[in-house]
Amino acid sequence: MKEFFSKLNTALKDIFFPLRYTCSACGKEIFDDEQFCDECEKSVRLITENKCLKCGRETLYAKGECSSCSHETAVDLSRSVFSYEGAIKSVIHKLKYSSARYLADMLAPYLKNVYIENFFAPDIITFVPMSIKAEEKRGYNQSELLADALAKLLSLEAYSMLEKVKDTARQAELDFEERSKNLKGAFKVTDKKFVKGKHVLVVDDVLTTGATSHEVASALKGAGAKSVYLLTVASVSREKKAKKEENEEENEEIR
């Protein structure tokens, strides 16, 4: 019966959300097997060679540590698929705020590729939790959807082993120190025996300042986790952002 409903759900998604015929970012009609229209495709930036080897953000050139991850973190290694800009911002926004849950399945193969490229071999796959209040309001946790979709492709299982035990203020405009203060003590491991001595992979949608992943990793290591890795769909690069602003200022001076 469970298999029947799984197949029915897939069939309904194909009917109502035909990924092969509309752009995943803008919804424009397309006529091939690509996920993005030509215009959106140009704005998608996969993070490849030029990245920070510690936090995985896109950088101007490959380096061991970048300005975005110069602060201490409990995460042992982070990797992201995309730079958080262009069409990918639209896709993640739709996944988080427009009930476009099907996009987790679209993004999962990209996560799988990065998972394999970086030889991740965790004992446990989990995800960044939301508070009960926040998840009830949204109706789902996008990070859980991504972790489940990735685990399914790997023939593994994603486990819910973390709780967000306090609501936190909106963090969009906060820096790392402010977010860290905001998130202090916000996460709790539900089963310490299950975590002890394990290598844990945490899945999330976006890596911004790194404060959330630091607090999550701290909770896991406090429960005895041997190491904590982070895999996200996208990440924000302070270095790339600064370079872009510098170029915009130069162009403004020329005008």
PDB file of all heavy atoms in Angstrom, residues 22-37:
ATOM      1  N   THR A  22       8.755  23.164 -17.777  1.00  0.00           N
ATOM      2  CA  THR A  22       8.792  24.527 -17.255  1.00  0.00           C
ATOM      3  C   THR A  22      10.107  24.754 -16.522  1.00  0.00           C
ATOM      4  O   THR A  22      10.654  23.842 -15.902  1.00  0.00           O
ATOM      5  CB  THR A  22       7.627  24.799 -16.277  1.00  0.00           C
ATOM      6  OG1 THR A  22       7.697  23.880 -15.192  1.00  0.00           O
ATOM      7  CG2 THR A  22       6.280  24.681 -16.987  1.00  0.00           C
ATOM      8  N   CYS A  23      10.591  25.976 -16.579  1.00  0.00           N
ATOM      9  CA  CYS A  23      11.823  26.341 -15.882  1.00  0.00           C
ATOM     10  C   CYS A  23      11.575  26.281 -14.377  1.00  0.00           C
ATOM     11  O   CYS A  23      10.591  26.842 -13.874  1.00  0.00           O
ATOM     12  CB  CYS A  23      12.254  27.743 -16.300  1.00  0.00           C
ATOM     13  SG  CYS A  23      13.664  28.394 -15.368  1.00  0.00           S
ATOM     14  N   SER A  24      12.447  25.628 -13.644  1.00  0.00           N
ATOM     15  CA  SER A  24      12.287  25.475 -12.198  1.00  0.00           C
ATOM     16  C   SER A  24      12.383  26.794 -11.450  1.00  0.00           C
ATOM     17  O   SER A  24      11.887  26.909 -10.334  1.00  0.00           O
ATOM     18  CB  SER A  24      13.347  24.514 -11.648  1.00  0.00           C
ATOM     19  OG  SER A  24      13.168  23.227 -12.184  1.00  0.00           O
ATOM     20  N   ALA A  25      13.010  27.805 -12.073  1.00  0.00           N
ATOM     21  CA  ALA A  25      13.174  29.096 -11.411  1.00  0.00           C
ATOM     22  C   ALA A  25      12.059  30.078 -11.754  1.00  0.00           C
ATOM     23  O   ALA A  25      11.392  30.606 -10.870  1.00  0.00           O
ATOM     24  CB  ALA A  25      14.522  29.705 -11.788  1.00  0.00           C
ATOM     25  N   CYS A  26      11.842  30.308 -13.044  1.00  0.00           N
ATOM     26  CA  CYS A  26      10.890  31.345 -13.456  1.00  0.00           C
ATOM     27  C   CYS A  26       9.557  30.807 -13.956  1.00  0.00           C
ATOM     28  O   CYS A  26       8.601  31.568 -14.131  1.00  0.00           O
ATOM     29  CB  CYS A  26      11.515  32.241 -14.527  1.00  0.00           C
ATOM     30  SG  CYS A  26      11.743  31.418 -16.135  1.00  0.00           S
ATOM     31  N   GLY A  27       9.481  29.506 -14.219  1.00  0.00           N
ATOM     32  CA  GLY A  27       8.231  28.910 -14.688  1.00  0.00           C
ATOM     33  C   GLY A  27       7.990  29.031 -16.175  1.00  0.00           C
ATOM     34  O   GLY A  27       6.960  28.583 -16.689  1.00  0.00           O
ATOM     35  N   LYS A  28       8.934  29.624 -16.899  1.00  0.00           N
ATOM     36  CA  LYS A  28       8.784  29.775 -18.344  1.00  0.00           C
ATOM     37  C   LYS A  28       8.763  28.406 -19.029  1.00  0.00           C
ATOM     38  O   LYS A  28       9.459  27.485 -18.631  1.00  0.00           O
ATOM     39  CB  LYS A  28       9.956  30.598 -18.878  1.00  0.00           C
ATOM     40  CG  LYS A  28       9.935  30.836 -20.375  1.00  0.00           C
ATOM     41  CD  LYS A  28      11.163  31.640 -20.803  1.00  0.00           C
ATOM     42  CE  LYS A  28      11.214  31.839 -22.304  1.00  0.00           C
ATOM     43  NZ  LYS A  28      12.429  32.592 -22.715  1.00  0.00           N
ATOM     44  N   GLU A  29       7.953  28.284 -20.072  1.00  0.00           N
ATOM     45  CA  GLU A  29       7.848  27.021 -20.788  1.00  0.00           C
ATOM     46  C   GLU A  29       9.156  26.712 -21.520  1.00  0.00           C
ATOM     47  O   GLU A  29       9.738  27.578 -22.167  1.00  0.00           O
ATOM     48  CB  GLU A  29       6.701  27.086 -21.791  1.00  0.00           C
ATOM     49  CG  GLU A  29       6.364  25.749 -22.429  1.00  0.00           C
ATOM     50  CD  GLU A  29       5.113  25.812 -23.292  1.00  0.00           C
ATOM     51  OE1 GLU A  29       4.689  26.929 -23.647  1.00  0.00           O
ATOM     52  OE2 GLU A  29       4.576  24.759 -23.616  1.00  0.00           O
ATOM     53  N   ILE A  30       9.609  25.458 -21.383  1.00  0.00           N
ATOM     54  CA  ILE A  30      10.810  25.014 -22.089  1.00  0.00           C
ATOM     55  C   ILE A  30      10.511  23.683 -22.774  1.00  0.00           C
ATOM     56  O   ILE A  30       9.543  23.015 -22.450  1.00  0.00           O
ATOM     57  CB  ILE A  30      12.023  24.871 -21.136  1.00  0.00           C
ATOM     58  CG1 ILE A  30      11.670  23.992 -19.925  1.00  0.00           C
ATOM     59  CG2 ILE A  30      12.519  26.230 -20.683  1.00  0.00           C
ATOM     60  CD1 ILE A  30      12.808  23.791 -18.958  1.00  0.00           C
ATOM     61  N   PHE A  31      11.329  23.312 -23.730  1.00  0.00           N
ATOM     62  CA  PHE A  31      11.017  22.146 -24.558  1.00  0.00           C
ATOM     63  C   PHE A  31      12.156  21.133 -24.597  1.00  0.00           C
ATOM     64  O   PHE A  31      12.433  20.533 -25.622  1.00  0.00           O
ATOM     65  CB  PHE A  31      10.681  22.608 -25.979  1.00  0.00           C
ATOM     66  CG  PHE A  31       9.521  23.558 -26.017  1.00  0.00           C
ATOM     67  CD1 PHE A  31       9.731  24.933 -26.043  1.00  0.00           C
ATOM     68  CD2 PHE A  31       8.218  23.088 -25.999  1.00  0.00           C
ATOM     69  CE1 PHE A  31       8.656  25.810 -26.059  1.00  0.00           C
ATOM     70  CE2 PHE A  31       7.139  23.959 -26.023  1.00  0.00           C
ATOM     71  CZ  PHE A  31       7.355  25.330 -26.048  1.00  0.00           C
ATOM     72  N   ASP A  32      12.834  20.963 -23.462  1.00  0.00           N
ATOM     73  CA  ASP A  32      13.881  19.948 -23.392  1.00  0.00           C
ATOM     74  C   ASP A  32      13.924  19.389 -21.979  1.00  0.00           C
ATOM     75  O   ASP A  32      13.060  19.692 -21.164  1.00  0.00           O
ATOM     76  CB  ASP A  32      15.241  20.524 -23.797  1.00  0.00           C
ATOM     77  CG  ASP A  32      15.578  21.803 -23.048  1.00  0.00           C
ATOM     78  OD1 ASP A  32      15.230  21.881 -21.851  1.00  0.00           O
ATOM     79  OD2 ASP A  32      16.169  22.714 -23.637  1.00  0.00           O
ATOM     80  N   ASP A  33      14.950  18.591 -21.689  1.00  0.00           N
ATOM     81  CA  ASP A  33      15.054  17.944 -20.386  1.00  0.00           C
ATOM     82  C   ASP A  33      15.806  18.778 -19.347  1.00  0.00           C
ATOM     83  O   ASP A  33      16.116  18.285 -18.268  1.00  0.00           O
ATOM     84  CB  ASP A  33      15.763  16.588 -20.537  1.00  0.00           C
ATOM     85  CG  ASP A  33      14.882  15.563 -21.230  1.00  0.00           C
ATOM     86  OD1 ASP A  33      13.658  15.763 -21.237  1.00  0.00           O
ATOM     87  OD2 ASP A  33      15.419  14.582 -21.762  1.00  0.00           O
ATOM     88  N   GLU A  34      16.121  20.019 -19.680  1.00  0.00           N
ATOM     89  CA  GLU A  34      16.854  20.871 -18.750  1.00  0.00           C
ATOM     90  C   GLU A  34      15.926  21.384 -17.647  1.00  0.00           C
ATOM     91  O   GLU A  34      14.711  21.426 -17.800  1.00  0.00           O
ATOM     92  CB  GLU A  34      17.483  22.050 -19.500  1.00  0.00           C
ATOM     93  CG  GLU A  34      18.465  21.644 -20.583  1.00  0.00           C
ATOM     94  CD  GLU A  34      19.620  20.825 -20.038  1.00  0.00           C
ATOM     95  OE1 GLU A  34      20.105  21.152 -18.933  1.00  0.00           O
ATOM     96  OE2 GLU A  34      20.036  19.865 -20.701  1.00  0.00           O
ATOM     97  N   GLN A  35      16.532  21.800 -16.538  1.00  0.00           N
ATOM     98  CA  GLN A  35      15.747  22.318 -15.417  1.00  0.00           C
ATOM     99  C   GLN A  35      15.506  23.817 -15.513  1.00  0.00           C
ATOM    100  O   GLN A  35      14.604  24.336 -14.850  1.00  0.00           O
ATOM    101  CB  GLN A  35      16.467  22.009 -14.095  1.00  0.00           C
ATOM    102  CG  GLN A  35      16.662  20.536 -13.812  1.00  0.00           C
ATOM    103  CD  GLN A  35      15.356  19.793 -13.611  1.00  0.00           C
ATOM    104  OE1 GLN A  35      14.298  20.397 -13.504  1.00  0.00           O
ATOM    105  NE2 GLN A  35      15.426  18.476 -13.555  1.00  0.00           N
ATOM    106  N   PHE A  36      16.311  24.515 -16.331  1.00  0.00           N
ATOM    107  CA  PHE A  36      16.208  25.966 -16.416  1.00  0.00           C
ATOM    108  C   PHE A  36      16.086  26.420 -17.869  1.00  0.00           C
ATOM    109  O   PHE A  36      16.615  25.764 -18.775  1.00  0.00           O
ATOM    110  CB  PHE A  36      17.441  26.628 -15.788  1.00  0.00           C
ATOM    111  CG  PHE A  36      17.678  26.261 -14.354  1.00  0.00           C
ATOM    112  CD1 PHE A  36      18.635  25.315 -14.013  1.00  0.00           C
ATOM    113  CD2 PHE A  36      16.936  26.847 -13.343  1.00  0.00           C
ATOM    114  CE1 PHE A  36      18.856  24.951 -12.695  1.00  0.00           C
ATOM    115  CE2 PHE A  36      17.150  26.489 -12.017  1.00  0.00           C
ATOM    116  CZ  PHE A  36      18.113  25.545 -11.696  1.00  0.00           C
ATOM    117  N   CYS A  37      15.410  27.537 -18.063  1.00  0.00           N
ATOM    118  CA  CYS A  37      15.366  28.136 -19.388  1.00  0.00           C
ATOM    119  C   CYS A  37      16.747  28.727 -19.681  1.00  0.00           C
ATOM    120  O   CYS A  37      17.582  28.838 -18.779  1.00  0.00           O
ATOM    121  CB  CYS A  37      14.291  29.230 -19.439  1.00  0.00           C
ATOM    122  SG  CYS A  37      14.629  30.668 -18.382  1.00  0.00           S
TER     123      CYS A  37
END
